[in-house]
Amino acid sequence: MNRTGMRCTFLCDRTAWTMMIAAAILAIVRGPLPDVAYEDAFFDYQKLTWKENAEVVMLGDSRTLVGLSPSVMASELKPRRIRNFAFAAAGYSSDYLNAAEKVWDPATDRKIAILGITPRSLRQLSLKSNQVVASSASLTSTNVWKARCLGWAKTTWAPLDRQFLNQIISGVRYDASEHRSSDGWLEPRASHIGHAESLNYYKQARKDPISDEIVEGLLAKVREWNARGIQVFGFRPPTCAAMESLEDDFSEQAFAQAFEAAGGYWLTPSSEGLVTFDASHLDRDSAREFSARMARAISATESTLMAEMGAR
């Protein structure tokens, strides 16, 4: 890095520390910081410390993180407490699956797991480079405090956000691209981001094949949860046609058959009319619509299962 770059980084970091100190002082004077002031790290830290507060837990990578809104689904699945426990780039490691179990309320007898299955979540790459691993490794009380204060500072003064500075330099108008909800949903607010970069990223990811070890470990957990009376639903988060073509090394049909043989229920709600903002993730309106479709599919499956039980 050249001297100019080092000086810019130093100034940005010094400004960040100044704003965090200011945030701490204001917190003392004005009370708790608002819950909407989430920094990326604090958002992940909060989710990793959830315990025993849900009946329905959603797992997956960023397509589930962005694509499923617990509040929208709750309106269809009353009176369920639903949490989105998905993380960016998450893979289905045993540690991740076990961590999700802590989110269920042990008092409820209607535990549900909803698994968003993408090809990337089944690749070895997803176990090495993902937000669950990164956030878990840095989960300390000091880092939680720093992340929350910085989140508040960025919300209060936009120039503190390096994304803002980068977009000013590039000549692109700044706009908040996401909102972090307390139920774990990362609500997208960007209308369009260049698709080429995203498609190229997943093209590179495809070089890492689907892992039989990860698939079998996931199916073993589905069997375990099923034996414990936990309903497990799986689905493939919708994306654009170009992305699906890139990910054709994953056979959804074969995986769905194995998933149902393990005791899970594979859902295929319609993706008609849904739009991505970056070639990979659904935009806000599509995410809300897909959340409603998923909730209705789960409700219909539960009704069918209850009818079958009643007929026995």
Side-chain angles (χ1 to χ4, degrees):
M1 181 183 293
N2 59 34
R3 292 185 178 181
T4 301
M6 291 176 65
R7 184 171 183 271
C8 182
T9 299
F10 170 74
L11 290 174
C12 288
D13 289 342
R14 185 173 65 178
T15 303
W17 274 105
T18 300
M19 292 304 296
M20 285 190 290
I21 293 171
I25 294 172
L26 283 173
I28 295 172
V29 175
R30 300 172 59 183
L33 301 180
D35 286 340
V36 296
Y38 289 140
E39 224 283 303
D40 274 339
F42 179 71
F43 183 61
D44 293 333
Y45 292 152
Q46 183 201 40
K47 293 170 74 166
L48 287 171
T49 55
W50 279 342
K51 288 185 179 179
E52 304 180 355
N53 63 359
E55 296 166 279
V56 181
V57 179
M58 299 185 288
L59 294 84
D61 61 17
S62 57
R63 290 186 195 165
T64 300
L65 174 64
V66 170
L68 287 183
S69 164
S71 62
V72 172
M73 295 184 71
S75 64
E76 299 281 347
L77 296 173
K78 294 178 180 178
R80 312 291 177 80
R81 289 168 290 157
I82 307 175
R83 297 290 181 271
N84 187 324
F85 195 66
F87 292 83
Y92 282 104
S93 66
S94 58
D95 287 342
Y96 178 43
L97 292 167
N98 291 334
E101 295 189 4
K102 299 176 182 178
V103 185
W104 277 312
D105 181 351
T108 182
D109 57 358
R110 298 183 64 187
K111 298 183 182 69
I112 293 178
I114 302 174
L115 311 182
I117 306 298
T118 66
R120 192 191 186 287
S121 68
L122 302 176
R123 303 185 195 279
Q124 284 292 337
L125 170 69
S126 68
L127 304 187
K128 304 171 185 175
S129 175
N130 68 71
Q131 206 56 45
V132 183
V133 172
S135 295
S136 296
S138 59
L139 182 57
T140 66
S141 57
T142 300
N143 283 341
V144 170
W145 179 84
K146 286 166 55 179
R148 188 169 191 195
C149 288
L150 184 56
W152 179 87
K154 285 182 177 181
T155 302
T156 304
W157 190 47
L160 183 62
D161 193 327
R162 293 186 185 184
Q163 181 185 14
F164 173 88
L165 296 175
N166 291 337
Q167 291 183 350
I168 289 297
I169 294 170
S170 67
V172 179
R173 188 178 70 84
Y174 173 78
D175 187 21
S177 61
E178 55 199 22
H179 172 75
R180 299 167 182 82
S181 302
S182 59
D183 58 17
W185 181 36
L186 186 64
E187 178 185 355
R189 293 187 173 179
S191 57
H192 181 79
I193 295 177
H195 288 194
E197 183 179 349
S198 183
L199 290 170
N200 184 62
Y201 169 79
Y202 284 94
K203 184 178 181 179
Q204 297 302 315
R206 178 176 169 149
K207 295 178 181 178
D208 186 25
I210 302 293
S211 168
D212 292 337
E213 180 183 354
I214 295 176
V215 171
E216 184 47 48
L218 176 57
L219 294 177
K221 180 60 74 172
V222 173
R223 286 189 286 270
E224 176 193 328
W225 283 345
N226 181 58
R228 290 163 51 188
I230 299 170
Q231 287 186 327
V232 186
F233 295 94
F235 74 102
R236 185 175 183 176
T239 186
C240 72
M243 185 66 73
E244 290 180 356
S245 296
L246 272 181
E247 299 178 333
D248 62 3
D249 59 328
F250 171 67
S251 172
E252 179 180 350
Q253 181 179 6
F255 183 88
Q257 291 175 347
F259 189 86
E260 294 196 326
Y265 303 94
W266 191 256
L267 304 178
T268 56
S270 172
S271 60
E272 183 179 357
L274 302 181
V275 178
T276 66
F277 66 86
D278 64 349
S280 180
H281 308 91
L282 296 179
D283 66 20
R284 176 171 52 182
D285 291 342
S286 293
R288 294 181 66 85
E289 174 59 30
F290 184 68
S291 297
R293 294 178 188 179
M294 273 291 295
R296 288 193 290 268
I298 291 172
S299 181
T301 301
E302 288 186 317
S303 295
T304 299
L305 292 173
M306 291 180 65
E308 291 176 351
M309 292 179 61
R312 291 175 185 173

